[in-house]
PDB file of all heavy atoms in Angstrom:
ATOM      1  N   ASN A  79       6.332  -4.526   0.626  1.00 98.00           N
ATOM      2  CA  ASN A  79       6.229  -4.088   1.989  1.00 98.00           C
ATOM      3  C   ASN A  79       7.234  -5.058   2.754  1.00 98.00           C
ATOM      4  O   ASN A  79       6.743  -6.125   3.040  1.00 98.00           O
ATOM      5  CB  ASN A  79       4.814  -4.080   2.447  1.00 98.00           C
ATOM      6  CG  ASN A  79       4.748  -3.783   3.956  1.00 98.00           C
ATOM      7  OD1 ASN A  79       5.748  -3.394   4.581  1.00 98.00           O
ATOM      8  ND2 ASN A  79       3.622  -3.980   4.498  1.00 98.00           N
ATOM      9  N   LYS A  81       8.177  -4.739   5.676  1.00 98.00           N
ATOM     10  CA  LYS A  81       7.791  -4.706   7.120  1.00 98.00           C
ATOM     11  C   LYS A  81       9.073  -4.628   7.968  1.00 98.00           C
ATOM     12  O   LYS A  81      10.057  -4.060   7.575  1.00 98.00           O
ATOM     13  CB  LYS A  81       6.997  -6.007   7.403  1.00 98.00           C
ATOM     14  CG  LYS A  81       5.791  -6.099   6.548  1.00 98.00           C
ATOM     15  CD  LYS A  81       4.739  -7.177   7.004  1.00 98.00           C
ATOM     16  CE  LYS A  81       3.602  -7.166   5.969  1.00 98.00           C
ATOM     17  NZ  LYS A  81       2.531  -8.112   6.405  1.00 98.00           N
ATOM     18  N   HIS A 165      -1.547   0.731   7.313  1.00 98.00           N
ATOM     19  CA  HIS A 165      -1.419  -0.668   7.213  1.00 98.00           C
ATOM     20  C   HIS A 165      -2.165  -1.361   8.417  1.00 98.00           C
ATOM     21  O   HIS A 165      -2.128  -0.741   9.432  1.00 98.00           O
ATOM     22  CB  HIS A 165      -0.036  -1.122   7.191  1.00 98.00           C
ATOM     23  CG  HIS A 165       0.116  -2.678   6.870  1.00 98.00           C
ATOM     24  ND1 HIS A 165      -0.075  -3.608   7.797  1.00 98.00           N
ATOM     25  CD2 HIS A 165       0.373  -3.200   5.629  1.00 98.00           C
ATOM     26  CE1 HIS A 165       0.139  -4.785   7.142  1.00 98.00           C
ATOM     27  NE2 HIS A 165       0.453  -4.622   5.950  1.00 98.00           N
ATOM     28  N   GLU A 237      -6.538  -4.840   1.668  1.00 98.00           N
ATOM     29  CA  GLU A 237      -5.748  -5.939   2.336  1.00 98.00           C
ATOM     30  C   GLU A 237      -6.627  -6.604   3.312  1.00 98.00           C
ATOM     31  O   GLU A 237      -6.617  -6.082   4.421  1.00 98.00           O
ATOM     32  CB  GLU A 237      -4.463  -5.409   2.906  1.00 98.00           C
ATOM     33  CG  GLU A 237      -3.539  -4.783   1.941  1.00 98.00           C
ATOM     34  CD  GLU A 237      -2.070  -4.843   2.444  1.00 98.00           C
ATOM     35  OE1 GLU A 237      -1.783  -4.308   3.488  1.00 98.00           O
ATOM     36  OE2 GLU A 237      -1.256  -5.483   1.760  1.00 98.00           O
ATOM     37  N   ALA A 241      -6.031 -12.434   5.148  1.00 94.00           N
ATOM     38  CA  ALA A 241      -5.167 -12.910   4.107  1.00 94.00           C
ATOM     39  C   ALA A 241      -3.774 -12.492   4.319  1.00 94.00           C
ATOM     40  O   ALA A 241      -2.905 -12.917   3.539  1.00 94.00           O
ATOM     41  CB  ALA A 241      -5.747 -12.400   2.782  1.00 94.00           C
ATOM     42  N   ILE A 242      -3.443 -11.555   5.189  1.00 93.00           N
ATOM     43  CA  ILE A 242      -2.051 -11.119   5.362  1.00 93.00           C
ATOM     44  C   ILE A 242      -1.173 -12.026   6.084  1.00 93.00           C
ATOM     45  O   ILE A 242      -1.550 -12.410   7.294  1.00 93.00           O
ATOM     46  CB  ILE A 242      -2.132  -9.740   6.069  1.00 93.00           C
ATOM     47  CG1 ILE A 242      -2.902  -8.669   5.198  1.00 93.00           C
ATOM     48  CG2 ILE A 242      -0.712  -9.277   6.429  1.00 93.00           C
ATOM     49  CD1 ILE A 242      -2.949  -7.226   5.843  1.00 93.00           C
ATOM     50  N   GLY A 243      -0.174 -12.523   5.501  1.00 90.00           N
ATOM     51  CA  GLY A 243       0.819 -13.362   6.118  1.00 90.00           C
ATOM     52  C   GLY A 243       0.276 -14.746   6.487  1.00 90.00           C
ATOM     53  O   GLY A 243       0.916 -15.475   7.272  1.00 90.00           O
ATOM     54  N   GLY A 282      -2.254  -9.434   0.470  1.00 97.00           N
ATOM     55  CA  GLY A 282      -2.677 -10.544   1.360  1.00 97.00           C
ATOM     56  C   GLY A 282      -2.228 -11.830   0.684  1.00 97.00           C
ATOM     57  O   GLY A 282      -2.971 -12.383  -0.223  1.00 97.00           O
ATOM     58  N   SER A 283      -1.009 -12.247   0.982  1.00 96.00           N
ATOM     59  CA  SER A 283      -0.539 -13.584   0.451  1.00 96.00           C
ATOM     60  C   SER A 283      -0.424 -13.654  -1.101  1.00 96.00           C
ATOM     61  O   SER A 283      -0.792 -14.676  -1.655  1.00 96.00           O
ATOM     62  CB  SER A 283      -1.286 -14.772   0.996  1.00 96.00           C
ATOM     63  OG  SER A 283      -1.194 -14.787   2.453  1.00 96.00           O
ATOM     64  N   GLY A 304       3.859  -8.579   0.869  1.00 98.00           N
ATOM     65  CA  GLY A 304       4.671  -8.736   2.119  1.00 98.00           C
ATOM     66  C   GLY A 304       5.741  -9.824   1.945  1.00 98.00           C
ATOM     67  O   GLY A 304       6.765  -9.678   1.290  1.00 98.00           O
ATOM     68  N   GLY A 305       5.413 -11.010   2.458  1.00 97.00           N
ATOM     69  CA  GLY A 305       6.284 -12.183   2.504  1.00 97.00           C
ATOM     70  C   GLY A 305       6.966 -12.540   1.206  1.00 97.00           C
ATOM     71  O   GLY A 305       8.245 -12.645   1.196  1.00 97.00           O
TER      72      GLY A 305
HETATM   73  P1  PGA B 265       1.684 -10.672   2.904  1.00 84.41           P
HETATM   74  O1  PGA B 265       1.567  -9.186   3.414  1.00 84.41           O
HETATM   75  O2  PGA B 265       1.947 -10.562   1.345  1.00 84.41           O
HETATM   76  O3  PGA B 265       2.817 -11.341   3.600  1.00 84.41           O
HETATM   77  O4  PGA B 265       0.363 -11.350   3.127  1.00 84.41           O
HETATM   78  C1  PGA B 265       0.937  -8.175   2.715  1.00 84.41           C
HETATM   79  C2  PGA B 265       0.917  -6.882   3.477  1.00 84.41           C
HETATM   80  O5  PGA B 265       0.776  -6.932   4.710  1.00 84.41           O
HETATM   81  O6  PGA B 265       1.074  -5.812   2.912  1.00 84.41           O
END
Side-chain angles (χ1 to χ4, degrees):
N79 174 10
K81 307 193 180 184
H165 191 279
E237 300 203 299
I242 294 178
S283 300

